[in-house]
Amino acid sequence: MVVVDVQMGFEDPRWGPRNNPQADSNIAALIGGFARARLPIVYVRHDSDDPDSPLHPGRPGNALKPYLTAEPALVVSKNVNSSFHGTPDLNAWLQAHDIAGIVIAGITTNHCCETTARIGGNLGYQVWYALDATHTFDRTGPDGTVMTADELAHATAVNLHGEFATVTSTDLLLAAVGSDVRH
């Protein structure tokens, strides 16, 4: 399981309206399920180069959210959208451990999570995208039109499903790993 950018900085109001208030509880449930099933968990942290970003390493918002309590098999640090373009090299680690499939959950749905799914699919991994274990924020396009976070999440699901990933849910993934009990 690849847990993307679940960091305190995304609680900052500067991001604007978000969707899916259940995302954090779903991410926590997946982490618990994977930990109980003794399946590897990778935490990815965005270390922004922008000193004004809440995700900059010198800011409190860079910290992972406190519910990420399971011991990760790997922690990747990145400063771009894809978890495959960080340190240490996620692709090399997955290959070294003969892992052919990944589950993606985290923040934000249409940026770092979607980019990680696309790159993972392009690299040949079987990707399961836990849409209800992600969230995003409203965004304004170049023409001034606002797309809501829900609209963006729907677009991500349509873009990914059947092309780069299988878009699925927390409950289906928990059942698949034999851990349908939520904590």
Side-chain angles (χ1 to χ4, degrees):
M1 176 177 177
V2 179
V3 181
V4 181
D5 300 349
V6 178
Q7 293 168 257
M8 293 304 298
F10 283 112
E11 298 297 320
D12 191 303
R14 77 173 69 186
W15 301 104
R18 70 169 262 195
N19 71 330
N20 193 12
Q22 291 78 34
D24 288 301
S25 63
N26 287 337
I27 294 166
L30 285 171
I31 290 169
F34 271 68
R36 285 187 295 281
R38 292 185 169 81
L39 294 169
I41 299 167
V42 174
Y43 294 154
V44 180
R45 186 184 63 243
H46 191 92
D47 291 334
S48 177
D49 290 334
D50 178 356
D52 294 326
S53 169
L55 303 177
H56 185 272
R59 296 194 171 256
N62 183 261
L64 297 174
K65 290 192 176 186
Y67 65 82
L68 273 65
T69 58
E71 186 67 31
L74 180 71
V75 176
V76 175
S77 170
K78 65 178 183 59
N79 60 11
V80 296
N81 300 102
S82 174
S83 300
F84 286 96
H85 293 93
T87 304
D89 184 309
L90 177 59
N91 185 45
W93 184 85
L94 291 167
Q95 289 179 347
H97 291 85
D98 293 322
I99 297 172
I102 57 173
V103 168
I104 296 174
I107 307 168
T108 64
T109 308
N110 56 315
H111 288 116
C112 296
C113 293
E114 182 174 346
T115 304
T116 298
R118 287 172 178 264
I119 301 296
N122 284 166
L123 289 171
Y125 293 98
Q126 174 68 48
V127 178
W128 292 274
Y129 193 89
L131 185 65
D132 66 348
T134 70
H135 76 76
T136 193
F137 303 92
D138 291 2
R139 299 277 299 184
T140 303
D143 64 355
T145 302
V146 174
M147 285 187 72
T148 68
D150 281 335
E151 291 170 328
L152 290 165
H154 181 76
T156 291
V158 171
N159 288 338
L160 292 179
H161 191 70
E163 182 72 23
F164 299 98
T166 299
V167 176
T168 189
S169 70
T170 298
D171 288 341
L172 289 174
L173 288 165
L174 288 173
V177 299
S179 181
D180 58 2
V181 178
R182 288 178 171 264
H183 292 296

